[in-house]
Amino acid sequence: MKKIITLLFFLFLSAFGVYWLNRARTIQLFGEIYARVETDQKVVALTLDDGPNEKIDTVLAILKSHNVKASFFPIGNLMEKDLSPIQKIVNEGHELGNHSYTHRILSLRSYETIRQEIEPTDKLLREAGYIGDIHFRPPYGMKIFMLPFYLKQNNRKTIIWDVSPEGDPKLNEDADKLSQFVIDQTTNGSIILLHPMNDGREASLHSLDPIIRGLKAKGFVFKTVSELLALEEK
Ligand SMILES: [Zn+2]
């Protein structure tokens, strides 16, 4: 009986360990992962996930009105349907990253499945004219085991976030509360995550303008993810 209890205890611990590792923001088994960067400078990166769709024009107009460059992580199969929003993002000088082809959870997938999620998506970004580094953001932030192995083998960086207000139901329907939360939580080197083009995320779309205004008023300068990584103090 004692043996069974000990065994169950260790099974529980390892299951918890795998769950924790899958969601950990700063640790993964292989390769480089960033949820923010260490810096004394008042710099921040705005990352906009999912889509693209017809809301891209609104998003790009807001960014342009503040002369802010963001980093977009669009989904491959939506790009395949219509590449024109990505071309607009490229033309406006924003950064683009890879967020997989189908946006499914990539935990516990085979190396080949992961390759098929990432490489066609890279190809579409290049077809749209994007020439910069392509970082990777795992769907739902989950990332064991083969995914980090693939990313390390291919010299790719995993980009997570440290400011993400949309998971809180008290915030995600109210643009004022949502933007205030982001402004309060952002620190030097933060990476903000928003989904302003998704259905049901109108508050996120409407929070973009006040977030940018509020952070600029506090002295923050917006950088792309690559620009932010270049400022990391080793
Ligand atoms: Zn996503």
Side-chain angles (χ1 to χ4, degrees):
M1 188 63 187
K2 206 173 169 188
K3 266 188 189 160
I4 292 172
I5 290 171
T6 311
L7 182 68
L8 284 175
F9 179 68
F10 279 105
L11 276 177
F12 170 77
L13 269 191
S14 31
F16 180 75
V18 167
Y19 174 81
W20 175 82
L21 195 59
N22 199 16
R23 311 206 61 143
R25 285 190 190 165
T26 51
I27 294 173
Q28 71 181 3
L29 287 175
F30 309 97
E32 292 178 64
I33 181 167
Y34 296 88
R36 58 184 301 280
V37 306
E38 287 301 325
T39 174
D40 290 335
Q41 298 181 47
K42 292 198 103 174
V43 285
V44 58
L46 182 59
T47 65
L48 305 174
D49 278 19
D50 299 355
N53 56 34
E54 70 291 346
K55 291 178 194 157
I56 191 65
D57 293 329
T58 310
V59 172
L60 289 175
I62 296 167
L63 296 173
K64 192 170 195 170
S65 72
H66 294 287
N67 195 24
V68 160
K69 300 289 182 242
S71 300
F72 288 82
F73 290 89
I75 301 167
N77 58 14
L78 296 178
M79 287 194 257
E80 181 117 66
K81 281 187 197 137
D82 182 7
L83 206 54
S84 63
I86 304 299
Q87 286 158 339
K88 289 178 185 172
I89 294 170
V90 172
N91 291 342
E92 297 281 324
H94 299 285
E95 179 161 51
L96 280 154
N98 187 318
H99 194 36
S100 84
Y101 188 78
T102 64
H103 201 265
R104 56 180 161 170
I105 291 174
L106 295 182
S107 303
L108 307 175
R109 304 278 183 191
S110 70
Y111 190 92
E112 181 55 23
T113 301
I114 284 160
R115 196 184 65 72
Q116 288 171 6
E117 286 283 343
I118 294 178
E119 291 179 11
T121 307
D122 283 345
K123 198 163 162 267
L124 287 161
L125 292 170
R126 295 303 185 208
E127 270 174 42
Y130 182 65
I131 53 171
D133 285 343
I134 303 175
H135 306 305
F136 186 75
R137 171 161 280 161
Y140 313 100
M142 295 189 193
K143 52 191 175 357
I144 53 169
F145 290 101
M146 277 302 173
L147 176 62
F149 182 66
Y150 172 92
L151 293 169
K152 179 165 173 57
Q153 277 210 324
N154 292 278
N155 292 315
R156 305 287 290 267
K157 294 184 173 81
T158 308
I159 308 300
I160 310 292
W161 54 82
D162 69 331
V163 181
S164 161
E166 294 164 323
D168 184 341
K170 289 197 294 293
L171 301 174
N172 67 15
E173 287 182 356
D174 184 325
D176 291 337
K177 283 185 191 160
L178 198 147
S179 51
Q180 197 55 53
F181 176 90
V182 171
I183 293 161
D184 292 343
Q185 294 293 311
T186 297
T187 56
N188 297 352
S190 276
I191 298 175
I192 300 167
L193 166 66
L194 291 170
H195 298 79
M197 286 179 275
N198 285 15
D199 288 342
R201 293 268 182 239
E202 282 69 26
S204 300
L205 185 59
H206 294 131
S207 75
L208 274 180
D209 184 77
I211 286 172
I212 295 170
R213 282 177 198 279
L215 288 174
K216 280 192 166 183
K218 285 175 89 174
F220 281 96
V221 175
F222 284 84
K223 301 281 182 188
T224 64
V225 166
S226 288
E227 289 168 344
L228 197 70
L229 297 183
L231 293 173
E232 175 145 82
E233 286 147 18
K234 302 280 179 202

